[in-house]
Amino acid sequence: MKLLRFGESGYEKPGIVDDNGDIRSLEGFVEDVTGGMLGAVSLEKLKALDLTTLPLAPKGARIGPCVGKVGKFICIGLNYSDHAAESGMTLPDEPEVFTKATSAICGPDDDIIKPKNSTKMDWEVELALVIGKEAKYVSEAEAEEYIAGYCVCNDVSERAFQLERGSQWDKGKGCDTFGPIGPWLVTSDEVGDPTNLDMWLEVNGKRYQNGSSRTMVFKPAFIVSYLSQFMSLQPGDVISTGTPPGVGLGQKPPVYLNVGDKISLGIEKLSTQNQTVV
């Protein structure tokens, strides 16, 4: 299934994509696409619906973040060996964990706001997973049971804030609009193998990232298991799993985003995002 949220920011309604690619409203069946409805029982009930009987969403409706009321937005850095090399950083022995503020979350096609004093704004196409049930001390073998589905994430970053303003990355990761997620939350059964998905990103029509989740170092199941040793993971938590090479920081010379730039990105089976820097 492809679940989504549509409508004005802060007033999104739950939806689902039918076999023809049309958006159908789930109003009356679920209150919203949040952690509370991502358990196996709830998802099975939605699978049983006859989507042709559901009302169509208004044409041209804004697509919001694919998950609402996110409790934690966790990211894994340097999780592609070739991206670590282009960044001049050593591949970590364990996952490099940081967080993005949940206030950074926005819709997949919303404008990206360049922060005040920003000089090195960058892009990162990433595969994100969404937790479906509470995970505490789970093994890698059972971790996939805790993943409700996957979505596209653009881990927008301000490199000067991230790397030149102290030792913590979070300052360069959590600015408003720095976390577009969606358009769809695609359930795990429809994605299949998450470690074999093509990924790409373009700026102003030029392709900079052209990679695959095949080169991911720490795989989604391992990441869920690993994180659950340090904190409980709640339904609706979003975990973004790293980016392949081709970020602006890694260009020679580096290339950074400016007002007016247009970003397009996508992941196989998970659809695309399109943003403008303002």
Side-chain angles (χ1 to χ4, degrees):
M1 289 185 296
K2 297 181 177 71
L3 302 173
L4 71 144
R5 301 166 71 244
F6 63 92
E8 294 182 24
S9 179
Y11 300 93
E12 290 93 350
K13 299 175 181 179
I16 189 168
V17 181
D18 67 20
D19 292 339
N20 295 321
D22 294 322
I23 297 173
R24 303 276 181 167
S25 175
L26 284 173
E27 285 186 282
F29 294 95
V30 295
E31 183 176 342
D32 197 356
V33 180
T34 61
M37 55 78 63
L38 293 178
V41 173
S42 297
L43 293 179
E44 284 300 322
K45 289 181 179 179
L46 291 181
K47 286 180 185 177
L49 292 175
D50 180 357
L51 301 188
T52 63
T53 66
L54 302 180
L56 290 165
K59 285 190 177 297
R62 168 186 173 270
I63 305 299
C66 58
V67 185
K69 300 179 181 178
V70 175
K72 292 190 286 295
F73 193 173
I74 305 169
C75 298
I76 307 299
L78 304 175
N79 196 27
Y80 288 69
S81 55
D82 34 13
H83 169 58
E86 75 169 353
S87 301
M89 298 180 182
T90 303
L91 198 65
D93 295 327
E94 297 187 33
E96 187 77 46
V97 180
F98 63 93
T99 60
K100 290 177 84 78
T102 54
S103 53
I105 294 173
C106 65
D109 301 330
D110 289 347
D111 290 338
I112 302 297
I113 300 171
K114 186 175 182 179
K116 290 183 178 180
N117 304 313
S118 168
T119 58
K120 297 180 179 180
M121 190 172 163
D122 205 347
W123 59 81
E124 297 186 27
V125 59
E126 302 204 2
L127 172 68
L129 63 89
V130 180
I131 296 296
K133 63 178 180 177
E134 185 177 52
K136 293 182 178 181
Y137 301 106
V138 302
S139 69
E140 184 177 358
E142 63 186 351
E144 289 185 3
E145 301 173 13
Y146 294 80
I147 301 173
Y150 298 85
C151 65
V152 180
C153 174
N154 187 357
D155 177 18
V156 185
S157 309
E158 213 303 332
R159 301 301 189 188
F161 296 177
Q162 175 191 357
L163 302 172
E164 301 169 21
R165 301 288 296 273
S167 60
Q168 300 300 316
W169 286 12
D170 296 33
K171 293 190 292 290
K173 295 287 189 172
C175 303
D176 291 352
T177 72
F178 272 28
I181 55 173
W184 325 135
L185 167 57
V186 184
T187 51
S188 296
D189 60 318
E190 190 165 324
V191 173
D193 182 4
T195 66
N196 189 27
L197 301 174
D198 292 334
M199 310 165 65
W200 59 271
L201 183 144
E202 297 176 350
V203 179
N204 299 327
K206 178 178 179 179
R207 183 157 296 198
Y208 285 94
Q209 293 190 272
N210 197 23
S212 169
S213 60
R214 290 187 295 274
T215 62
M216 192 184 295
V217 178
F218 303 110
K219 309 302 184 183
F222 178 85
I223 290 169
V224 170
S225 173
Y226 180 85
L227 291 173
S228 77
Q229 311 305 310
F230 304 99
M231 66 190 83
S232 62
L233 300 173
Q234 310 299 325
D237 284 351
V238 175
I239 303 171
S240 202
T241 60
T243 195
V247 300
L249 176 67
Q251 306 303 308
K252 301 186 186 320
V255 176
Y256 296 114
L257 294 167
N258 287 300
V259 172
D261 286 345
K262 296 187 180 300
I263 312 164
S264 298
L265 59 149
I267 299 178
E268 183 183 0
K269 298 184 180 181
L270 304 182
S271 195
T272 59
Q273 299 184 353
N274 294 279
Q275 298 123 19
T276 300
V277 180
V278 300

